[in-house]
Amino acid sequence: MITSVQRALRLLEAVGGFLQGATAKQLARAAGLPLGTTYHLLRTLTHEGYLRRAEGRFFYGDSVDDIGRADDRQSERHDLRGRMEQLRDELGAAVYFALYQDGEIHVVDTAAGPGQPAVEPWADFRATAHAHAIGQCLLGQLPEDARRDHLARHPPAGLTPSTLTDESAILRRLSSLRPTMPVLERQEYALGTVCAAVPITVGAVVATMAVSLPVEQAARLTATAGQLRRSVGAMTPSFVL
């Protein structure tokens, strides 16, 4: 066990017992620590943002608030996972949730099952946004200069005979996408698979929920995409933050 960490945690716990903040001497007594050790730990905790000092008293700082918000985010992530699994069962398809962050595609989670297999990511999703429904949907939500920047960093490559590789044609297709309508993709990323993605915009978030089906079930792609769109529209913003 690391004694200094234990002592710092005891100090943080002690702060919670003083609604109006506490002095170093009060915290030393409450935590059962020598005053000199308490001063040293308080300086460190304040520097790192876990505490703040005002008029000689110590209060919880922003970093402690961040820990609390992290717990909320974990709860939201759990809710998202449960909703995705529910959608998987309702739609009979693998379900994906992805974000566009810091100039890249990020597949946050996938809900698949024995009867709803996920697409095998045989080519890097980040570098092949032009080819799959997730990437097309996310790029379609960006301004044109951001789309061009992405394609400049990840030049379009042919993955299957159906993949569109001409940059001008790709940009025209992205510009034609409607903000609330699903994006359909048929064997452009992987042979044997068809996909659909629904745009999600909450504030500055650029996100999508998507599904994939084996090509043998391609006839139900449009209807499944419509169901997905309606289901995503009923989801609260907490599922995408």
Side-chain angles (χ1 to χ4, degrees):
M1 306 297 289
I2 302 175
T3 303
S4 61
V5 175
Q6 291 178 311
R7 290 174 173 172
L9 291 173
R10 282 159 59 187
L11 269 181
L12 286 174
E13 291 171 353
V15 171
F18 296 87
L19 296 180
Q20 303 303 319
T23 65
K25 289 182 179 180
Q26 288 175 317
L27 292 172
R29 285 195 298 269
L33 298 175
L35 186 58
T37 299
T38 298
Y39 276 122
H40 175 72
L41 292 173
L42 289 174
R43 282 196 298 270
T44 302
L45 291 169
T46 301
H47 179 269
E48 296 298 326
Y50 291 97
L51 297 177
R52 61 182 177 85
R53 187 177 183 181
E55 299 180 354
R57 292 179 174 271
F58 292 88
F59 304 82
Y60 285 136
D62 291 341
S63 293
V64 172
D65 294 337
D66 289 341
I67 292 173
R69 285 192 290 270
D71 185 63
D72 292 340
R73 288 192 294 270
Q74 288 177 344
S75 176
E76 290 167 358
R77 176 68 177 270
H78 178 75
D79 291 343
L80 172 63
R81 177 67 184 181
R83 185 66 178 118
M84 289 176 65
E85 291 174 347
Q86 183 180 349
L87 281 173
R88 175 200 63 199
D89 297 338
E90 291 175 355
L91 302 177
V95 178
Y96 312 79
F97 177 68
L99 299 169
Y100 193 84
Q101 288 182 325
D102 301 322
E104 298 294 351
I105 305 291
H106 298 276
V107 178
V108 178
D109 205 354
T110 302
Q116 305 90 12
V119 177
E120 185 67 30
W122 71 276
D124 189 345
F125 258 46
R126 295 169 298 179
T128 56
H130 66 287
H132 48 73
I134 287 175
Q136 293 172 27
C137 187
L138 292 174
L139 293 182
Q141 297 177 60
L142 301 178
E144 184 167 346
D145 58 344
R147 297 172 188 164
R148 290 181 180 276
D149 173 73
H150 185 94
L151 294 176
R153 289 182 289 109
H154 301 293
L159 304 179
T160 76
S162 300
T163 307
L164 191 62
T165 58
D166 179 76
E167 183 173 324
S168 298
I170 293 171
L171 290 170
R172 285 195 299 272
R173 177 165 68 178
L174 294 175
S175 296
S176 71
L177 298 178
R178 296 171 60 187
T180 62
M181 296 303 292
V183 176
L184 305 183
E185 173 258 303
R186 295 177 172 84
Q187 302 191 88
E188 293 181 52
Y189 173 79
L191 294 175
T193 303
V194 296
C195 303
V198 173
I200 302 173
T201 53
V202 179
V205 174
V206 177
T208 182
M209 196 75 77
V211 294
S212 66
L213 294 168
V215 71
E216 294 80 11
Q217 300 180 35
R220 69 183 188 92
L221 180 64
T222 300
T224 301
Q227 287 180 267
L228 177 66
R229 179 193 176 204
R230 290 189 292 274
S231 297
V232 168
M235 293 170 72
T236 64
S238 64
F239 288 112
V240 297
L241 297 181

